[in-house]
């Protein structure tokens, strides 16, 4: 870790701390944030978790969920004050200020010290303290490491352990992505020793489908999946009208792209969808096809080699045309 001793010394007095994470938080983003939140509160600091957008219902079980402050315009003043007056801002699971939407300029302008804990490539250089490792499968794994570096293993409560386990379980794709290391299994073993019920966490996250969501997946597979068998690329296109028709909520499209990638012979999959007034894209790949480079070069995005995302600056139809014209880049 960069500046561990300075970080330890910094935490020796009670601090005002803000924890934030990327827009549309997933289980790793929220689990890391709430895990670190409880740990730092336990050490006597005053801590707030602020997310740039809301997040899916299936994450609401995490301990501390009620305390999370979700950005919206009506809270802009209060959030601005918290960020401005913070001594420390912990930036978890993101590598650049664009990823935290309206919070970006506020965090940038704050004189607070910044801690980065992250596993995405090419982090922007804003951190005073950082625990960054792109070999880590999940930011939650790094939060666990950070707690150990701060000699806090005995302070890991069940609430912390469950939140961190949720991040690890989802970011490893339930322990099947390449990023799944022997080390992370050892970390999970420690979390289980603390009492994490892995079946319970799995059910809370994965087995909470609404009927709307299941019907939507059926519809998307049947009507909205384009397969280019020759180029070995498959993608979904979902428009705003479909979002409304199926009452899609935050998180409902999560995992859909994996169905496209699971088709035999396909090595790049995408989902292109209108969501909240923007066109959001998710990319997945197998092997050496680096979708993070693709996302950053063409769609203002980034991520990991085999899982990335981005945002298009042109309308849905034009985005689809642009994507189709770029498919040869994957060869
Ligand atoms: P997902 O497709 O699940 O939204 O995201 C997959 C990965 O890509 C995640 O690691 C996420 O951090 C990254 N990612 C998703 N959307 C964006 C984006 O708009 N910009 C950047 N830089 N990364 C993204
Ligand atoms: Mn992550």
């Amino acid at each position: 870790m960069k500046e561990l001793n300075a970080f330890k010394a910094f935490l020796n007095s009670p601090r005002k701390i803000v924890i934030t994470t990327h827009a549309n938080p997933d289980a790793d983003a929220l689990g890391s944030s709430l895990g670190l939140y409880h740990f730092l509160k336990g050490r006597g600091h005053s801590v707030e978790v602020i997310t740039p957008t809301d997040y899916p219902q299936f994450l609401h079980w995490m301990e501390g969920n009620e305390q999370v402050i979700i950005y919206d315009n009506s809270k802009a003043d209060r959030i601005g004050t918290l960020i401005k007056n913070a001594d420390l801002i912990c930036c978890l699971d993101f590598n650049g200020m664009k990823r935290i939407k309206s919070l970006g300029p506020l965090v940038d302008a704050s004189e607070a010290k910044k801690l980065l804990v992250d596993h995405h490539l090419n982090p922007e250089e804003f951190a005073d303290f950082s625990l960054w490792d792109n070999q880590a499968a999940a930011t939650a794994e790094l939060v666990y490491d950070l707690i150990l570096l701060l000699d806090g293993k005995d302070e890991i409560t069940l609430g912390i352990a469950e939140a961190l386990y949720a991040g690890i379980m989802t970011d490893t794709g339930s322990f099947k992505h390449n990023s799944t290391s022997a080390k992370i299994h050892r970390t999970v073993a420690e979390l289980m020793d603390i009492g994490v019920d892995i079946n319970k966490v799995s059910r809370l996250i994965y087995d909470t489908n609404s009927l709307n969501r299941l019907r939507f997946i059926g519809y998307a597979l049947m009507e909205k999946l384009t397969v280019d068998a020759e180029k070995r690329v498959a993608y979904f296109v979902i428009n705003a009208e479909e979002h409304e028709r199926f009452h899609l909520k935050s998180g409902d499209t999560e995992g859909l792209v994996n169905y496209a990638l699971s088709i035999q012979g396909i090595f790049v999959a995408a989902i292109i969808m209108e969501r909240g007034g923007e066109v959001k894209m998710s990319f997945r790949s197998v092997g050496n096809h680096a979708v993070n480079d693709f996302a950053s070069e063409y769609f203002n995005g980034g991520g990991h080699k085999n899982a990335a995302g981005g945002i298009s600056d042109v309308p849905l139809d034009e985005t689809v045309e642009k994507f189709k014209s770029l498919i040869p880049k994957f060869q």
Side-chain angles (χ1 to χ4, degrees), residues 89-105:
I89 301 175
C90 304
C91 299
L92 304 191
D93 201 35
F94 67 94
N95 57 356
M97 292 299 161
K98 263 192 355 202
R99 299 279 290 134
I100 54 172
K101 305 256 164 172
S102 312
L103 301 181

Side-chain angles (χ1 to χ4, degrees), residues 22 93 95 99 120 280-284 300-304 307-311:
H22 62 77
D93 201 35
N95 57 356
R99 299 279 290 134
H120 294 94
K280 175 83 187 109
M281 313 187 64
S282 278
F283 305 105
R284 297 290 185 273
N300 314 300
H304 311 280
I311 292 167

Side-chain angles (χ1 to χ4, degrees), residues 26 28 93 119-120 137-139 171 304:
D26 55 14
D28 190 34
D93 201 35
H119 64 143
H120 294 94
T139 296
D171 262 30
H304 311 280

Side-chain angles (χ1 to χ4, degrees), residues 22-24 26 99 233-238 251-261 267-275 278-285 291-292 294-296 299 301-312 316 319 323 330:
H22 62 77
N24 304 304
D26 55 14
R99 299 279 290 134
V233 173
Y235 58 95
F236 295 95
V237 179
I238 309 295
D252 278 354
T253 52
E254 217 166 291
L256 182 61
V257 66
N258 295 322
Y259 287 104
L261 192 66
F267 60 65
V268 174
I271 173 164
I272 307 171
M273 65 181 158
E274 280 178 310
R275 187 182 68 187
E278 62 184 18
V279 177
K280 175 83 187 109
M281 313 187 64
S282 278
F283 305 105
R284 297 290 185 273
S285 67
V291 282
N292 53 351
F294 179 83
S296 78
F299 294 106
H304 311 280
K305 188 167 120 193
N306 297 128
I311 292 167
S312 172
L316 185 67
T319 305
F323 176 74
F330 292 123

Side-chain angles (χ1 to χ4, degrees), residues 28 32 93 119 135-143 167-168 171-172 179 184:
D28 190 34
S32 300
D93 201 35
H119 64 143
Q135 300 296 310
T139 296
E141 175 185 4
L142 296 172
V143 169
I168 292 172
D171 262 30
T172 56
S179 54
I184 210 161

